[in-house]
């Protein structure tokens, strides 16, 4: 059992397992959605164990949001009282008891494993799962099932930035400085990020920066609300971000902004990069990217003359078949200007999913063990195996990456069963038409979810689980700060936690011990398993998080203060120096042509989140953003004879999706945009390309070739 934490926020008592009195007063916790993990107080009216009303108040003591919430956060209480909540397990579409459902799932898994081997059973996780769940899921796959076939939907989000950070810095902590450093910067370049819509309280830090006289530069094919608020908008052709970064570095070198002392003292490999960008003169880059030379020159001047400057990347530059190289090119620019590892400056990836950072650290990735260890590292295998009490030789090796795993389901050599937690790939995976077929070919699909998502509706076994405010666990926000999300309200009768599901399945698969369902007990084991790894949580406790408002990893002992800025003295490479890597621009995996003459780019809207499984069930959010749309330029609309509000068909080589036309004169005339949150024929991912980055295995969500037709 978790212990009461005994901390206060103002005069408010806080416990990890609140009493009814505390629930009435409100419990300090965090938002269910994005990686900003805004702090909030959740208070509920409960009668007879049923939650009637939930009120949400933003917390001021959490620096990331400092009293702010977006529309999704304010309305998150509706998730707890929503009538569409699943409360009964389903087997083949019919209600079942928990014992029946778990027995059925476990016996089918055991039979498939016995007939086809352990890799015939696959496990798929999510970047919204708590650290405890992500950790236990990885252990469940490798120990209870014995499969190498585990990956998660975070592969679709931050994996290219993670790969580039490891390549350059030896370690991936998305934002290696506190978010409050942004306000002190003099210039910030955001490449492919739209925080004004995806995480609005983030904008406060940029507003403070600009009020001090700092400059904001945004590179984005669309004039998003973030781009519209910037001092400079570099409106690039989709898929050309890498060329832009090469051109900016070329200019920085040519115009004398390079920090030679920093390069000599803290990096390796600059000469090769300097040579590689010499051919990227500004006029050539303008021709490829569409960004005027004058804007590139001003960008470099602002970054190069700033006392403190930052380069940030988001999914816009990362979700490409060359995403790792694109992020590397922006890191090269930041390194040449002397930014990373310098107090007040730096490079950061803006992580998107709620636990996108922690979810990629503790073992639900195909190639990884807890503590951000590599699964092919003998020392890492020995350490984790000793914590798990198994022979290192018994641990499987690396498995398939997320899309490759989904693509292999039901094929001759692919998995025959899939257990899925915290993900909805029938909306969120690329080329979703193919994924529908693959899931349909499985012998067994088990889905844990809080609602009947599109993927749950296709499952043989559906297990109804608890959600954010009904359970306790840790989340690691976009800064690398480990936070405590506390249980704040009673769970509805009939649901169990994901940890309890894993515990129940593991016991039925012959592992009655080693899979506890208490989150703090799991976290204590995670601490030991992560000890000595890059993402070392061994000094972090629930009590410390509560008392200190969060702890930055790495934190190797309980008397260690945590590490807000891990690169100040040295980078996490063997020689302590950051590594420049030369990279080359190339066009999108699928460029436009006569048959498909337009670029499609996809992204988010303010009032929806990820696959929309949660937010499409919240009335104020569906009123604000009810359906899929296709944003296009009025000139393009006139050419195809479509008016604002009319229905459009968008067609790619992989499928067809539809949405209402939304005319916008600020989008490029060769580009259309669709949000990816919607189901049925509004699924943007019916269109997207599965071309994968060779290093991160990230699919190319952000650009493919399409044509438009007026819907019949
Ligand atoms: Fe929640 Fe993100 Fe909105 Fe904050 S910005 S309230 S964490 S969805």
């Amino acid at each position: 059992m978790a212990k009461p934490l005994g901390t206060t926020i103002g005069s408010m008592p806080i416990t990890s397992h609140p009493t009814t009195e505390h629930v009435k007063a409100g419990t300090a916790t965090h938002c269910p959605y994005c990686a900003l993990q805004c702090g909030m107080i959740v208070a509920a009216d409960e009668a007879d164990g049923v939650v009637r009303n939930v009120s949400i108040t933003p917390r001021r003591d959490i620096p990331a949001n400092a009293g702010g919430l977006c529309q999704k956060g304010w309305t998150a209480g509706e998730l707890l009282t929503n009538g569409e909540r699943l409360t009964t397990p389903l087997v083949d579409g019919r209600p079942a008891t928990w014992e029946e459902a778990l027995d059925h799932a476990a016996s089918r898994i055991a039979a498939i494993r016995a007939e086809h081997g352990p890799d015939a059973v696959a496990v798929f996780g999510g970047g919204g799962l708590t650290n405890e769940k992500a950790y236990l899921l990885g252990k469940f796959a490798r120990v209870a099932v014995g499969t190498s076939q585990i990956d998660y939907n975070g592969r679709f989000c931050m994996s290219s930035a993670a790969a580039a950070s490891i390549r350059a810095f030896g370690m991936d902590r998305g934002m290696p400085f506190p978010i409050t450093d942004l306000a002190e910067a003099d210039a910030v370049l955001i490449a492919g990020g739209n925080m004004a819509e995806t995480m609005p309280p983030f904008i406060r830090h940029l507003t403070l920066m600009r009020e001090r006289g700092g400059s904001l530069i945004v590179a984005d094919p669309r004039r998003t609300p973030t781009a519209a608020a910037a001092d400079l908008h570099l409106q690039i052709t989709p898929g050309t971000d890498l060329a832009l970064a090469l051109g900016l570095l070329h200019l920085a070198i040519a115009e004398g902004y390079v920090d030679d002392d920093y390069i000599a003292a803290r990096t390796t490999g600059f000469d090769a990069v300097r040579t590689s960008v010499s051919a990227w003169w500004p006029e050539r880059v303008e021709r490829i990217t569409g960004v005027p030379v004058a804007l590139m020159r001003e960008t470099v001047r602002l970054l190069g003359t700033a006392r403190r400057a930052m380069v940030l990347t988001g999914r816009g530059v990362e979700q490409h078949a060359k995403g790792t190289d694109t992020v590397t090119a922006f890191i090269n620019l930041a390194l040449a200007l002397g930014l990373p590892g310098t107090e007040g400056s730096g490079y950061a990836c803006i992580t998107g999913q709620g636990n996108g950072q922690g979810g990629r650290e503790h073992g639900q990735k195909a190639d990884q063990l807890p503590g951000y260890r590599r699964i092919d590292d003998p020392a890492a295998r020995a350490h984790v195996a000793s914590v798990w009490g198994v022979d290192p030789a018994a641990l499987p090796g690396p498995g398939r990456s997320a899309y490759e795993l989904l693509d292999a389901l039901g094929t001759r050599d692919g998995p025959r069963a899939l257990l899925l937690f915290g993900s909805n790939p029938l909306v969120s995976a690329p080329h979703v038409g193919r994924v529908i077929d693959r899931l349909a070919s499985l012998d067994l699909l088990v889905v844990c979810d809080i609602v009947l998502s599109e993927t749950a509706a296709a499952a043989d076994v559906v297990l109804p689980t608890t959600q954010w405010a009904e359970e306790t666990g840790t989340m690691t926000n976009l800064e690398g700060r480990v936070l405590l999300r506390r249980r704040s309200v009673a769970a509805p009768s009939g649901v169990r936690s994901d940890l309890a599901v894993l515990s129940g399945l593991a016991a039925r698969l012959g592992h009655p011990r080693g899979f506890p369902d208490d989150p703090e007990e799991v976290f204590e084991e995670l601490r030991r398993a992560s000890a000595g790894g890059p993402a070392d949580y061994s000094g972090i406790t629930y009590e410390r998080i509560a008392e200190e408002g969060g702890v930055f990893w790495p934190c190797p002992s309980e008397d260690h203060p945590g590490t807000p800025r891990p690169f100040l003295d040295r980078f996490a490479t063997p020689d302590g120096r950051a590594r420049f890597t030369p990279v080359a621009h190339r066009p999108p995996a699928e460029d436009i042509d006569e048959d498909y003459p337009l670029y499609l780019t996809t992204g988010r809207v303010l009032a929806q989140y990820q696959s929309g499984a949660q937010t499409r069930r919240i009335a104020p959010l569906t009123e604000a953003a009810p359906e899929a749309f296709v944003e296009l330029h009025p000139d393009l609309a006139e050419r195809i004879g479509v008016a604002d509000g009319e229905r459009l068909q968008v067609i790619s080589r992989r499928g067809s999706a539809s949405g209402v036309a939304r005319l916008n004169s600020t989008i490029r005339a060769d580009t259309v945009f669709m949000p990816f949150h919607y189901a049925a024929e509004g699924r943007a991912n019916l269109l997207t390309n599965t071309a994968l980055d060779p290093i991160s295995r990230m699919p190319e969500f952000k650009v493919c070739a399409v044509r438009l037709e007026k819907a019949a």
Side-chain angles (χ1 to χ4, degrees):
M1 282 291 290
K3 298 181 282 295
L5 301 179
T7 57
T8 60
I9 292 196
S11 58
M12 191 175 301
I14 304 299
T15 63
S16 60
H17 288 182
T19 63
T20 304
E21 185 184 322
H22 292 157
V23 169
K24 281 181 186 157
T27 301
T29 187
H30 295 269
C31 177
Y33 302 117
C34 85
L36 203 56
Q37 280 300 292
C38 293
M40 54 173 56
I41 306 285
V42 174
D45 288 336
E46 293 178 25
D48 304 324
V50 177
V51 178
R52 310 273 176 207
N53 283 303
V54 176
S55 71
I56 285 178
T57 317
R59 288 167 65 181
R60 297 191 182 282
D61 62 317
I62 298 299
N65 66 308
L69 293 177
C70 78
Q71 193 178 8
K72 297 185 286 288
W74 282 113
T75 57
E78 288 206 18
L79 281 174
L80 302 163
T81 54
N82 193 295
E84 292 189 53
R85 188 70 186 278
L86 284 174
T87 54
T88 307
L90 303 173
V91 175
D92 297 330
R94 286 186 294 278
T97 67
W98 270 98
E99 299 314 305
E100 288 166 348
L102 290 174
D103 286 349
H104 179 77
S107 66
R108 294 290 297 125
I109 291 167
I112 291 167
R113 183 175 61 178
E115 188 177 348
H116 301 284
D119 280 356
V121 179
V123 177
F124 201 88
L129 299 177
T130 61
N131 291 318
E132 292 80 354
K133 293 179 188 182
Y135 170 81
L136 206 65
L137 195 63
K139 181 179 179 184
F140 173 82
R142 275 110 185 185
V143 175
V145 180
T147 181
S148 67
Q149 300 298 297
I150 174 170
D151 211 52
Y152 81 125
N153 67 17
R155 183 77 67 175
F156 298 158
C157 296
M158 280 71 61
S159 57
S160 289
S165 285
I166 291 168
R167 177 148 83 172
F169 309 128
M171 186 172 97
D172 159 39
R173 213 192 72 193
M175 181 179 279
F177 47 80
I179 196 169
T180 44
D181 281 6
L182 283 163
E184 304 299 319
D186 303 308
V188 174
L189 166 62
I190 300 174
N194 179 20
M195 294 74 143
E197 281 196 283
T198 55
M199 47 177 71
F202 186 105
I203 294 298
R204 174 178 174 274
H205 304 285
L206 299 174
T207 303
L208 290 171
M209 183 267 295
R210 294 186 71 214
E211 285 172 359
R212 286 182 39 262
S215 301
L216 177 64
I217 308 138
V218 173
D220 199 305
R222 299 170 62 220
R223 194 161 179 80
T224 62
T226 312
D231 299 280
L232 296 181
H233 176 201
L234 315 181
Q235 194 162 14
I236 53 170
T237 305
T240 64
D241 322 75
L242 207 164
L244 176 68
L246 297 174
L248 293 175
L249 181 52
H250 177 105
L251 275 169
I253 294 168
E255 305 200 353
Y257 294 118
V258 165
D259 187 337
D260 294 316
D261 293 343
Y262 171 95
I263 289 170
R266 302 213 53 193
T267 72
T268 56
F270 180 60
D271 287 346
V273 166
R274 178 170 32 208
T275 303
S276 73
V277 300
S278 61
W280 290 94
W281 56 91
E283 292 75 14
R284 180 185 178 200
V285 175
E286 177 179 315
R287 272 200 306 281
I288 293 171
T289 64
V291 177
V293 171
L295 284 186
M296 287 188 266
R297 194 161 265 134
E298 181 61 1
T299 298
V300 168
R301 187 190 69 78
L302 288 170
L303 292 171
T305 57
R307 197 174 46 89
R308 296 174 156 201
M310 286 164 177
V311 175
L312 314 179
T313 62
R315 303 304 81 72
V317 303
E318 297 161 15
Q319 288 178 319
H320 293 270
K322 56 179 180 294
T324 303
D325 281 353
T326 302
V327 176
T328 297
F330 281 101
I331 291 175
N332 285 342
L333 172 67
L335 287 171
L337 297 173
L339 309 181
T342 303
E343 184 150 359
S345 294
Y347 159 78
C349 147
I350 306 302
T351 294
Q353 285 201 79
N355 197 27
Q357 178 70 57
R360 64 186 191 253
E361 296 165 359
H362 296 298
Q364 60 175 334
K365 276 178 86 173
D367 47 3
Q368 189 199 68
L369 289 172
Y372 226 135
R373 291 178 156 97
R374 291 178 59 99
I375 201 167
D376 57 3
D377 172 1
R381 293 171 67 86
H383 172 79
V384 174
S386 74
V387 174
W388 288 352
V390 298
D391 181 349
L395 293 178
R400 293 179 173 92
S401 73
Y403 183 75
E404 290 163 302
L405 177 57
L406 295 173
D407 191 43
L409 295 175
T411 59
R412 204 163 67 87
D413 300 323
R416 315 265 352 138
L418 176 67
L419 280 73
L420 196 138
F421 294 76
S423 188
N424 187 15
L426 289 192
V427 175
S428 61
H431 193 184
V432 82
R434 163 86 180 160
V435 178
I436 290 170
D437 291 345
R438 292 296 89 232
L439 261 60
S441 72
L442 285 168
D443 296 340
L444 176 71
L445 174 61
V446 180
V447 173
C448 289
D449 212 326
I450 63 172
V451 293
L452 198 66
S453 70
E454 287 70 20
T455 311
D460 303 293
V461 179
V462 181
L463 302 172
T465 49
T466 49
Q467 55 172 320
W468 65 293
E470 298 160 359
E471 56 188 18
T472 292
T474 58
M475 305 284 284
T476 305
N477 78 354
L478 80 178
E479 307 165 278
R481 195 191 305 247
V482 185
L483 303 166
L484 189 57
R485 199 194 255 176
R486 295 177 176 86
R487 179 172 180 246
S488 325
V489 303
S493 167
V495 305
R496 293 187 184 178
S497 70
D498 291 304
L499 295 181
V501 170
L502 291 171
S503 183
L505 288 175
R508 286 165 174 80
L509 292 168
H511 294 268
R513 283 179 293 283
F515 293 89
D517 62 2
D518 177 73
E520 192 165 7
E521 200 177 325
V522 176
F523 189 76
E524 290 301 310
E525 187 180 303
L526 181 161
R527 291 176 59 197
R528 294 199 304 281
S530 73
D536 189 333
Y537 281 41
S538 58
I540 303 175
T541 65
Y542 276 25
E543 286 79 3
R544 278 195 67 180
I545 301 171
E547 280 161 16
E548 299 170 29
V551 181
F552 288 95
W553 70 259
C555 182
S557 63
E558 288 191 35
D559 58 0
H560 188 284
T563 315
R565 298 178 183 85
F567 303 142
L568 283 186
D569 299 325
R570 69 189 311 277
F571 295 97
T573 52
D575 63 3
R577 290 165 176 259
R579 297 179 283 230
F580 279 98
T581 305
V583 288
H585 173 71
R586 56 268 191 195
E590 182 181 76
D591 217 335
I592 54 177
D593 57 21
E594 263 185 24
D595 295 331
Y596 299 94
L598 298 166
Y599 294 110
L600 170 73
T601 189
T602 63
R604 306 181 194 195
V605 296
L606 171 62
Q608 297 289 346
Y609 179 70
Q610 299 297 76
S611 79
Q614 296 151 297
T615 49
R616 283 188 277 114
R617 291 174 164 84
I618 294 182
L621 300 181
T622 52
E623 281 162 25
E627 60 181 338
F629 63 87
V630 183
E631 185 178 286
L632 73 165
H633 195 279
D635 292 349
L636 174 60
E638 192 180 333
R639 267 208 321 273
I640 59 172
V642 71
D644 195 62
E646 279 191 278
R647 187 155 284 278
L648 267 178
Q649 209 68 33
V650 186
I651 301 155
S652 80
R653 287 183 175 83
R654 290 155 295 281
S656 169
S658 73
V660 292
R662 189 176 287 183
L663 272 51
N664 186 334
S665 60
T666 66
I667 192 169
R668 296 171 56 97
D670 61 0
T671 302
V672 297
F673 167 82
M674 282 189 82
F676 60 68
H677 312 289
Y678 296 95
E681 69 274 11
R683 268 180 280 204
N685 280 320
L686 288 162
L687 308 165
T688 47
N689 194 353
T690 59
L692 300 181
D693 182 286
I695 299 171
S696 70
R697 316 308 285 165
M698 162 82 87
E700 186 145 281
F701 285 102
K702 283 296 178 193
V703 61
C704 69
V706 298
R707 67 170 188 267
L708 299 183
E709 291 177 5
K710 264 176 89 161

